[in-house]
Amino acid sequence: MSTDSTTAVATGDPSSVHRGAPAGEPLLAATDLVAGYLPGVDILSGCNLVVHPGELVGIIGPNGAGKSTLLKALFGLVTIRSGTVTLKGEDITNNAADALVRRGVGFVPQNNNVFPSLSIEENLQMGLYQAPKKWAERFEFIVDLFPTLGERRGQRAGSLSGGERQMVAMARALMMNPSVLLLDEPSAGLSPVRQDETFIRTRKINRAGVSIVIVEQNARRCLQICDRAYVLDQGRNAYSGPGRQLMNDPKVIELYLGTLATDVETATTKPDLLPGSSTPPTP
Amino acid sequence: MDWTRILTNVAGEIIAPTTAAYALAAIGLNIHFGLTGLLNMGQAGFMLLGAYGFAISTIAGWPLWAAVLVAIACSAIFALLLGIPTLKLRGDYLAIVTIAAAEIVRLVGRSTALTDLTGASSGLRGNSYKDTFQDASPFADGTFALGPFEYSTNSSNSWWIRIVAWAVVGLACWLVWLLMRSPWGRVLKGIREDEDAVRSLGKNVYAYRMQSLVLGGVIGAIAGIIYVLPRAVQPDSMGRPMTFFVWTVLLLGGAATVFGPVLGSIIFWASLMLIKSVMRDGVPESIMRTEQIEQFGWVVVGVTLMLLVIFRPQGILGDKKELAINVR
Amino acid sequence: SDDGGGSDETDASADASPLIIGTLLPQTGTLAYLGPPEIAGVELAVQEINEAGGVLGADVEVENADSSDADHAEVATQSVTDLLSKDVQVIIGAASSSVTLNVVDDITGAEVVQISPANTATSLSGYSPFYFRTAPPDTVQGAALANLITGDGHSNIGILVFNDDYGTSLRDVVKATVEEAGATVTYGNAGEEFDPAASSFSGDVTALLATSPDAIVILAFEQTKLIIPELIAAGVDPTTLYLVDGNTADYSADFEPGTLEGAQGTIPGAFPSTEFQAKLKELNPDLTDYAYAPESYDATILAALAAVKGGGTDGPTIQENLASVSGADGGTEVSTFADGVAALEAGDDIHYVGQAGTGSFNEDNDPSSASIGVYKFDASNKPVFVKGQEGEVPES
Amino acid sequence: MDRSPTAHRVLLATLFALLALAGAVLPVGAAQAAEQVCVADASTGCINGTIKTAAGAPAVGIVLTVAGSDGEHIATTGADGRWSVAVTAAGEYTVSLDETTLPAGETLRDPSKNPRTVTAEVGNTTGALFPLGAPTAAPAPSDGATSADGTTGADAAVGTPTGSESGGGVSWLRVGQQATSGLIFGILLALASVGLSLIYGTTGLSNFAHGEQVTLGGILAYVGCQTLGLPLLVSGIIAVAIAAASGWFQDAVLWHPLRRRRVGTTQQMIVTIGLSMALQYSYQYFFGGGALRIVTENPTMLSLGQIRVTLHSLISVIIAVLVLAGVAYFLLKTRIGRATRAVSDNPALAAASGINVEGVIRMVWTLGAGLAGLGGVLMGLYLNATSWNMGGALLLLMFAAVTLGGLGAAFGALVGSLVIGLVVEMSSLVIPSDMRYAGALLILILVLLLRPQGILGRAERIG
Amino acid sequence: MSADSHPIPTPTPFATTSTGKDRVLADLALVAHEPGVRKPDPIVVADSVTRHFGGMTAVDVDHIEIQRGAITALIGPNGAGKTTLFNLLTGFDHPSTGTWTFEGKSLSGVAAAKVARSGMVRTFQLTKALSRMTVIENMRLGATHQPGESLFTALIPPLWRAREKEITVQAEELLERFKLGAMRDEFAGSLSGGQRKLLEMARALMSKPTMVMLDEPMAGVNPALTQSLLGHIIALRETGTTVLFVEHDMHMVRHISDWVIVMAEGRIVAEGPPEEVMANQAVVDAYLGAHHDTDLGDDSLLADEVMEQLEAEALEEKR
Ligand SMILES: Nc1ncnc2c1ncn2[C@@H]1O[C@H](COP(=O)(O)OP(=O)(O)OP(=O)(O)O)[C@@H](O)[C@H]1O
Ligand SMILES: Nc1ncnc2c1ncn2[C@@H]1O[C@H](COP(=O)(O)OP(=O)(O)OP(=O)(O)O)[C@@H](O)[C@H]1O
Ligand SMILES: [Mg+2]
Ligand SMILES: [Mg+2]
């Protein structure tokens, strides 16, 4: 196990992990968003988000905080009641989703993220709806990433297992080769190795220049890979900062991360920040 | 235009036996659809069976109570026959199966093969089966006026049928009120939302659906009896338009509510009367010929219905919030 | 509808209120095409009555209401409520026996006279003292038609009949009569009717033709327009086609010339009625079809005459005198309202002989006889009068 | 069609037989027998009949005796086979036929009915028939009798080629004929139901006003042909175009706003019921309650082998098949077609995939209404007339077809329609005709029991 | 550090000193660590259960036993057949072949509702919230022995009111524990993804089942909350409830399970206590992957070899 490399990164200056450019023109920005489903009930109540070009931004928070709502609002699937969203400086508040796709935004929803009665192949074709000409090339790319999907291309997505669906969902969003990607819990339901793969791939995609907003309940993993992260609680930003910093913030740990999974990091992170850090590392 | 007369007629519709019959049929449908989510598109079939059961056994000389029991039994058996194979199907399939079954009942009823029993297309004459019911009335024969409403006490379209019909409606409302608030109603509601989830909690979905189908169907059959008591048993008058009207009445008032069906029925029939009377008296024949006035009246009714649903989709008594939950 | 205005004599006249006639005829629904000629018949009668001075010195008024069809039974119920609240004393209608069965108890229970111009159902015979009809009894028309067919020498008869009172009871008479004459009904026996709501008739036509009939009777209403092309296309000779009052109509706008040439049909009523038809057309220029207009006309005139005779416009008075003015007690034959009033004023009993050619009311309040006209279609698909036949209604 | 020479011969022979028959029955023939013919009037009644040989030719010179209260009358059949006597008193008359005067080889079909008793009335005509032929109960002339006489099968029968088979029962020809009608009806029904299925599939809405879209097509074609006098083709195309436009318009002003306000599909269904009412009665308002003939020409009959189809239906079927194939191609092979299925599965995700969901739905409405309109035009031609409630009457069959094929599966609707068409047209072979819709519906229920997901539907996974 | 000994923020009295755990561990101590092994006190015993979909075999289990009172984890790659096995055991799907018993009674071919009534309750991986019912109503529906659920008793409220009160109290307690107390009167359809998972689990627990089968209960649930809920699951063991759960969160598996069964391609490929199974090289290769303990923030992971290796692992998992 590559414990050494982990140490190297984790013990370094947190800012060195941050590769995006926090200064300058934001790529995607949401200011004071208020949005909700039922009349009179605001789920987001003044939420802010900034994504700079090339940045990998994480969002974590308790269940029902409004993370998915935030992504849906950015993507035009939930009506924004006040506040603005801009993409490359242009106002895209309440723009229709298909218009955003045309502008290079991709989205993987949390629930119902496949077309159950369509085959895997057709699901992917839907992902490339606006650029059908690129099909051969993109399909090859995806099959490379998810060989299972290539083999089972004829199977109806509705009959897939939970993890398989998740792969289809991710693959569908990648078809268009978006420049901004909104991911809602892409790792949920995946086996550990696939989770790792997903996170590493997310990073690679990000490295290739795609700005990514990722919502995760696999919060530690998420904070490990992202440049900057927001903690959302009850429709508002509770904390924000570089991923590493949040990961080690005792408040964040207590309220949002829990300590169940700290066994890996405890050995390497600053001992004084962690409750229960005195326990010996797992063999 | 004679507004007093028109308004009296409109008010008369509020207590009319037809209104009560539709309210009752919609209450039955409410148990199916509002409570259980069963898309029964054949409520008229239950009503027709009830009417046949009642009328045929009365003509055969059975007493009132036995005839009512026969009607109930007919509809219960029909519900069982329908339910055994279909309640396992997805909702939309139940819709088509029920609409088909109701049509089959009607078509068989009006076919010449059964002329001796059902009177085929001409049906059964009203005065051949109304007697037992009218004889059961405690009132003296004659007419009775209450304010502007004057009806015969016992015969056909009488006070007696009104009293009985609305009493039955009241009883049915009370029943639904009790059931809706009971754990039984809760299971039905659960089934309406997701039967697999309810199954995973150990409830026998099939049995509950069957109970609901039978109960709603029996109420429909009683509605059928009330419907034919002031008129005749006509297979054609208890066909698809009737089912549509029952649905309209239910959704107009608000599905899954106790008084929705009653209110829906009152509003539907009273406004039909209002629109038609006003059109009849208010539109001069120089503008439209008499039959065009009637036809235009229906167009107005159709549009009104659309507007009502468009501007109050949850029905008059329905819960808007419930509607906003996107289930699709 | 009454444009006569209040006439001066109204005050001077008897204590009776003006006669208000309600119509309960199909204006919407599947039978809506039957409504306009019937309403025109009533209105024509009322117009003539009022021109002749009205009933008991007051103009007759008409209140129209829709009976719709059996599929919308509530409409008729509401219309009856509406009519009764307008204090009508006579209701002309309904066209469909089913609708009548639904409302007859309400109407007769209110002691209002109901006269149907088109009901033929046997189950309505003698339903109530207040229920009358001017429609020709099936027994007469059916027998006349059957004799026409057998007279033409056809011995294998196929009948396309819809499963409705009108169709099946007429069929029963035709069948009985032709079989008595030695012919066979090859198709259209009990169990071989078609659904009135059916939209496709090719199956029925194929089934009919498979029995190789040498004459074909169509007992239907508007469906006839869909059936005839089917038959003609199948190579049926139009001269072997027979129609009845429900479908013997002017088809010149519907079929190409010659389609029906030689086909025959029976319509009850005295001939010629072209003058009558012209008057109706004046009232409603859109009329294309005159089915049951004469019966509706007669029903109205009879009711008015009965009121005149009885000296009152209330239901019971009219009910009491209807049979008498229709000629049940014999008397002077009159054919217009004015003549009838004159004769009545002279103290005579009258026998009104109307447009429909039906005889006086019998004990069941059904017409006791009818005269049936035989028509033959010409090259332009219009029925042309050939001859008339008289028929008694057998005592039941 | 390669058998057309035979077919032609049959057709010609039929025509000749027809002409012969027409000559015999038409009043032209009556002229020469005028002196014999009795006309009933106030003082006379008639007893008459026509006697034909088993082959259907008039039987000439047969002597009959009519005996009754006013004495005995003798009559002889004329050149047209007709005889008649005038009687002056009502009552029972005995008519006896002199069997010795029968043409050679002819016998009475039912010898026990000679003499027969009839009741005559003054002013009326009464028939007395003596059918000739083999003494069987079979109503139709047998094959042997026909060929012995050397004429075609179109003899006594009214000129139908079907007469050659033994009549009455179920013959293969009749099965074939009805199956053909069933297929035609099914394919035309499919045009309408595919539209219904598409709309249901994409929006989840059971459109009870779809029947009125079908009617719209028929009525517009009627207006084009009859009111405006346009050629059928032109008015048909205009009708379909307007029908399609009405779908677009309807979605724009009605369904789109309702969806945006998240009105549930059951509620929307009630709106469709209201719309259906409003439309039906609007049609009635403008066009009356009667049947409207789109074209007044009588259909031209073609014979395919022994099966008859009209030229109109053949062309209609070809159009329908082409259009359905086009729709199939569109749904399966085009991007937008596939998108309709995606939208039906999950509109939000479809939007997230870059599909203009509302655009797709608008397109489906336009297409569905257009197909319904075309179905209406062709159906109106096939059924020989359209009317204000043509579509409404077909609606249940459409729903049955859609369900039978598997809800929301457009091809299912096609298969379902064919099944329904066949069942509706063929069930009268075994059950009473007025119950054939009941038969179709029963089949529907049975199929659903065996395959709850419909013929082409697929079962869903749980969990 | 040992996950067991780690203090848990929310007070859960049973967490550490678990008599139930000791008992179960003692029972399982002598059981061999091999697939399909017999257990001393099995509550579920299944034999040659297979399920084919077209040409593919989703489940092909020769023999499996679940120890009574234990917390057993069922892990395995995506598409291994875990959910399908759940569906089969609980009557939501029909096997191609196979029989199984629950508490000695055969349950093969028994309808889903009856399975649940016999004490085997499951949750769904893709949640099934009853959308247009409130959260509390969802919970109440989970309860058993409510006389008011029969049509005739329902008409006489006094007959079921008392039980309803008990149920409500129980439901409210569970909701509090699952952090859903505030949502008590909201429609379940308006819950977030994770909240639905929680509701689903809480609802299943309402019936106090003998055995509860949780399909990925913690996927999408906030880790802090997961941690507090584990206490509840451990508490279930104290009351004698058997727990079988599918989970991809290895921390959770390691933390609470007494026994782990590994499935791959429909077959049981390994069984044993969590520490041992997770050290099993085959399991690591095919399921956990080489990086499951690595910090993914490491740039070296972005090298192409790593991706290739991961892909190879994924293929392995597939094979
Ligand atoms: N379709 C909906 N209708 C109404 N209310 C909703 C809907 N979806 C979510 N909500 C409300 O919004 C709140 C936030 O939901 P959201 O899905 O954004 O949470 P989340 O942060 O993504 O949680 P999780 O981590 O559990 O997915 C929920 O608690 C719920 O009350
Ligand atoms: N109805 C079906 N039709 C066809 N294939 C199916 C069906 N149901 C399941 N499968 C296949 O069976 C395999 C096992 O599925 P299952 O849902 O049991 O996996 P799982 O172990 O639960 O996976 P995950 O961890 O991803 O949820 C999958 O490959 C799936 O695609
Ligand atoms: Mg979420
Ligand atoms: Mg699974």
Side-chain angles (χ1 to χ4, degrees), chain E:
Chain E
M1 82 186 168
S2 150
D4 301 348
S5 57
H6 201 278
I8 293 165
T10 16
T12 41
F14 326 96
T16 40
T17 55
S18 47
T19 53
K21 184 175 175 79
D22 297 343
R23 191 194 67 233
V24 170
L25 286 184
D27 277 350
L28 291 173
L30 298 174
V31 175
H33 302 169
E34 57 190 37
V37 68
R38 321 246 152 203
K39 315 249 160 43
D41 183 14
I43 189 167
V44 171
V45 180
D47 279 297
S48 48
V49 177
T50 62
R51 177 68 167 105
H52 305 284
F53 292 110
M56 74 101 65
T57 307
V59 169
D60 180 8
V61 171
D62 256 354
H63 185 83
I64 186 174
E65 290 185 3
I66 310 293
Q67 172 70 5
R68 185 189 309 275
I71 300 179
T72 308
L74 180 62
I75 64 171
N78 295 122
K82 306 180 292 293
T83 302
T84 309
L85 181 62
F86 267 35
N87 284 349
L88 294 174
L89 293 182
T90 51
F92 279 91
D93 195 359
H94 304 289
S96 308
T97 67
T99 56
W100 61 94
T101 61
F102 173 66
E103 292 199 293
K105 289 190 290 281
S106 171
L107 275 192
S108 25
V110 174
K114 203 150 173 227
V115 170
R117 274 200 303 277
S118 69
M120 188 199 255
V121 173
R122 58 95 50 105
T123 66
F124 293 93
Q125 179 175 7
L126 304 172
T127 52
K128 292 189 179 297
L130 305 171
S131 302
R132 283 174 302 170
M133 286 169 78
T134 60
V135 168
I136 186 78
E137 290 267 87
N138 263 271
M139 293 294 289
R140 287 185 183 132
L141 196 57
T144 50
H145 303 298
Q146 167 54 282
E149 285 183 0
S150 123
L151 175 54
F152 296 104
T153 355
L155 294 173
I156 310 162
L159 293 180
W160 49 262
R161 281 257 169 73
R163 174 72 185 137
E164 189 79 350
K165 282 218 181 73
E166 282 167 38
I167 291 174
T168 310
V169 170
Q170 187 196 350
E172 279 165 350
E173 265 171 31
L174 273 169
L175 286 181
E176 281 313 318
R177 190 182 279 277
F178 281 76
K179 292 264 159 43
L180 289 173
M183 311 296 287
R184 186 186 188 275
D185 297 313
E186 299 290 326
F187 282 121
S190 71
L191 295 186
S192 76
Q195 287 170 327
R196 287 177 195 213
K197 269 261 140 80
L198 296 170
L199 175 61
E200 175 112 1
M201 195 177 355
R203 196 174 60 194
L205 295 179
M206 277 299 289
S207 67
K208 306 201 171 133
T210 332
M211 172 165 170
V212 59
M213 299 168 67
L214 308 171
D215 200 349
E216 303 202 17
M218 299 304 174
V221 176
N222 182 264
L225 184 54
T226 305
Q227 193 163 358
S228 70
L229 289 177
L230 294 187
H232 190 83
I233 295 180
I234 291 168
L236 285 176
R237 178 173 56 194
E238 293 315 304
T239 61
T241 308
T242 309
V243 179
L244 174 66
F245 71 99
V246 173
E247 188 54 70
H248 291 305
D249 178 351
M250 285 309 114
H251 304 300
M252 173 176 166
V253 172
R254 206 172 290 180
H255 190 84
I256 63 163
S257 59
D258 304 316
W259 193 258
V260 177
I261 300 176
V262 187
M263 264 183 99
E265 293 172 7
R267 272 187 276 277
I268 310 283
V269 294
E271 273 193 54
E275 306 77 27
E276 184 178 316
V277 166
M278 266 170 245
N280 178 333
Q281 197 52 44
V283 175
V284 170
D285 285 353
Y287 181 58
L288 297 178
H291 306 278
H292 73 280
D293 279 343
T294 318
D295 186 320
L296 298 178
D298 189 344
D299 273 356
S300 65
L301 287 176
L302 297 178
D304 283 347
E305 313 81 80
V306 176
M307 238 21 226
E308 272 162 26
Q309 185 198 346
L310 277 167
E311 270 161 29
E313 281 169 6
L315 273 182
E316 175 83 0
E317 161 190 316
K318 247 271 36 254
R319 183 201 47 76

Side-chain angles (χ1 to χ4, degrees), chain A residues 37 43 63-69 110 217, chain E residues 183 190 192 194-195:
Chain A
Y37 303 88
I43 301 299
N63 295 114
K67 304 181 294 297
S68 304
T69 311
Q110 179 177 11
Q217 285 301 4
Chain E
M183 311 296 287
S190 71
S192 76
Q195 287 170 327

Side-chain angles (χ1 to χ4, degrees), chain A residues 37 75 77 97-99 101-102 105-107 109 111-119 122-123 125-132 156 158-162 164-165 172 176, chain D residues 260 262 331-360 363 408 457-463:
Chain A
Y37 303 88
F75 201 64
L77 295 174
D98 59 297
V101 173
R102 206 163 294 130
V105 185
F107 177 48
N111 299 314
N112 303 327
N113 47 17
V114 296
F115 300 109
S117 71
L118 268 56
S119 69
E122 287 167 331
N123 263 278
Q125 282 169 347
M126 285 305 125
L128 206 58
Y129 185 74
Q130 294 184 349
R156 287 197 323 140
S159 70
L160 293 175
S161 81
E164 290 162 346
R165 277 172 181 243
R172 185 197 55 79
M176 264 304 260
Chain D
R260 207 179 41 211
R262 297 166 153 271
L331 286 180
L332 285 181
K333 298 286 177 216
T334 67
R335 206 159 60 101
I336 302 188
R338 250 177 267 125
T340 61
R341 289 192 289 144
V343 170
S344 89
D345 263 11
N346 189 338
L349 187 63
S353 302
I355 298 171
N356 177 357
V357 173
E358 285 304 321
V360 168
M363 196 254 345
R458 274 174 290 203
E460 287 297 324
R461 165 187 172 144
I462 300 172

